[in-house]
Amino acid sequence: MSREQSDYDVIVIGAGAAGLTAAIAAADAGSSVLVVEADVQTGGSSRLSGGHFYVAGTSVQREAGIAEDSADAMFEHYMTFNQWMVGPSIVRRYCDLSAPTFEWLTASGVKFPTAMLYVSGVGDVPRGHQPEGGGQAVVLALEAQLASRGIDLVLATRVEHLICDDAGSVSGIETSDGPVNCGSVVVATGGFGANAKLIAEHYPDAAKAGNWGWYIGSPMAQGDGLKLGQEVGAALDGHNKGLLLTTPGFSHDLEVLLPDWLILVNPEGRRFVNETAPYTVLGGLIQRQGGTVFAIFDEAIRAAAKRTPFFNAYWVDEVLAQKADEGIIIRAESIEALAEQTEIDPKALKGTIDRYNKDCDQGGDSVFFKKTQGAPQPIETAPFYAVEVRPAIICWTGTGLRVDAEVSVLGTDDQPIPGLFAAGETVGSLHGDRYIGGGGSFGPCIVFGKLAGENAAAYASGRRIEP
């Protein structure tokens, strides 16, 4: 079947932020577009997210007095932060397109107040842009544009297979209702955080968490895009990449920061990190210690741990007392007894606490330079507590379809599969071992969604895709 005989120019699989953006971009390029979504509503995990956008060189930054940030600076930071163990061409494309795509999104009605600009992740340049209304507001703003562009949306329909023509080009989709033909396809089905089998296969670090692990995204995140792509010869990228957030495992509350009044020790009984380190790196640092560490504090600290906007579910006095009574938290009358129950070398643990207490007496942290809200609190009043902490909350998954800088899906022969593009969490070629910062997963959904839609439209119309 020729492209002229297709039912649609472009079919987008998935109606999260990436898919909706791709559909709008393809329609704006003159294509007829169908969006197919497995869920009963649009948004996917994007609707549940904060909708933050990691980007450099924006009008919001300039309004905040940050005039010198640039795509070049963002690229250098991104690559250095990940020790250049990510694809430079993909990262470069994201950095170059992030600001113009951000401005496109603001023109679509999404508001990013200057007051909500913040330093995201590790660094000192504010690149985290937080929208009013979070990810849901972004999804609603995008969804509102479908009807005016004549974009067809089908919900509660899962794509079962991709269709290829005799030349090997992707030319349609197969659903339970039958085939739909097209000129090109954008796969934007999200990640696989809700699929335990794929977690075990592609994200073993997350699988190690066992029954501690849980996923914060949509239950529809089943990894459909990986299956669809592999069936037509796509390569995967980003094995064992993703973001794990820390938890004491008391409940499924998303409270991932640690209070500044505790210390973390590894199985050898030594501190290994500034306990207030960004969530973007803390999970990885714990993984380097074997995946399980202990938060240590004393009775005086526990009794003073009151609820705050940041600490409401775990690190508060009555919750900690209850969990100790239940035996979930270890409580002991001496440091030596605490070490015995945690199977930590008592001399190492006592030495670590003695050194920390000496620093507290001197008003600082000479080892990891932790800054505290008030005076640092020594650990010296019995009973003493040890709380097991693990990186176990799956925020997003990083294994996905391998793409080039135009988000064309690459086959196992490293050549583009004609007519197939990917965007959002389905892309596996962007992330390294460490998460760049808040907005570093949602931002690419918009950036690469727009690029995928434009390039899918160009392919469907027979135009050459220009970088």
Side-chain angles (χ1 to χ4, degrees), residues 109-376:
V110 181
K111 296 180 180 179
F112 291 88
T114 304
M116 297 168 75
L117 179 68
Y118 66 102
V119 174
S120 174
V122 176
D124 56 6
V125 179
R127 294 191 178 118
H129 294 65
Q130 182 178 356
E132 288 183 352
Q136 178 164 312
V138 178
V139 168
L140 292 176
L142 294 171
E143 184 181 18
Q145 301 180 55
L146 301 185
S148 64
R149 289 169 168 80
I151 297 170
D152 289 340
L153 171 65
V154 176
L155 300 174
T157 301
R158 183 159 249 129
V159 174
E160 298 174 352
H161 305 284
L162 298 176
I163 298 171
C164 292
D165 62 20
D166 294 341
S169 297
V170 174
S171 58
I173 61 171
E174 184 79 43
T175 74
S176 58
D177 295 325
V180 186
N181 299 304
C182 64
S184 62
V185 170
V186 177
V187 180
T189 56
F192 54 90
N195 187 321
K197 181 180 178 181
L198 291 185
I199 289 291
E201 182 178 356
H202 298 297
Y203 199 0
D205 280 350
K208 289 177 184 176
N211 59 10
W212 279 57
W214 57 282
Y215 175 54
I216 69 173
S218 167
M220 304 301 287
Q222 295 291 327
D224 290 15
L226 276 67
K227 178 185 80 73
L228 294 172
Q230 287 183 293
E231 285 181 348
V232 297
L236 300 185
D237 205 353
H239 178 71
N240 205 28
K241 299 294 191 295
L243 178 61
L244 292 176
L245 305 174
T246 58
T247 176
F250 299 165
S251 63
H252 285 186
D253 288 285
L254 189 60
E255 189 175 283
V256 300
L257 300 177
L258 296 177
D260 60 19
W261 42 254
L262 56 75
I263 63 170
L264 289 179
V265 299
N266 61 19
E268 285 73 46
R270 296 183 175 86
R271 288 180 73 202
F272 60 94
V273 67
N274 174 342
E275 291 79 9
T276 62
Y279 74 90
T280 57
V281 298
L282 185 57
L285 292 170
I286 293 175
Q287 284 176 300
R288 289 179 65 89
Q289 305 302 315
T292 297
V293 298
F294 287 97
I296 307 294
F297 51 93
D298 70 1
E299 176 61 19
I301 292 172
R302 184 207 63 79
K306 304 305 179 184
R307 295 181 188 274
T308 73
F310 296 104
F311 305 111
N312 190 55
Y314 302 140
W315 306 104
V316 293
D317 55 348
E318 68 269 24
V319 174
L320 295 170
Q322 176 186 342
K323 296 304 177 183
D325 291 342
E326 294 172 358
I328 295 173
I329 291 177
I330 297 173
R331 180 167 53 196
E333 291 300 317
S334 69
I335 297 299
E336 291 76 12
L338 193 73
E340 181 179 356
Q341 292 187 57
T342 56
E343 299 183 349
I344 292 174
D345 184 304
K347 290 183 179 179
L349 182 60
K350 186 176 186 304
T352 294
I353 292 174
D354 286 346
R355 183 173 185 177
Y356 182 73
N357 288 347
K358 183 178 179 181
D359 273 355
C360 290
D361 292 341
Q362 296 175 354
D365 178 1
S366 67
V367 182
F368 291 99
F369 310 109
K370 177 172 65 177
K371 296 180 180 179
T372 58
Q373 292 285 334

Side-chain angles (χ1 to χ4, degrees), residues 1-9 169 182-183 458-463:
M1 172 174 282
S2 69
R3 295 180 198 170
E4 288 76 15
Q5 296 172 301
S6 297
D7 299 316
Y8 291 89
D9 295 323
S169 297
C182 64
Y459 181 88
S461 68
R463 298 192 307 272

Side-chain angles (χ1 to χ4, degrees), residues 75-95:
F75 174 75
E76 186 65 28
H77 175 68
Y78 199 116
M79 297 302 297
T80 302
F81 185 67
N82 277 290
Q83 298 178 301
W84 282 76
M85 292 188 292
V86 287
S89 64
I90 311 298
V91 175
R92 182 78 243 187
R93 202 74 167 119
Y94 173 52
C95 294

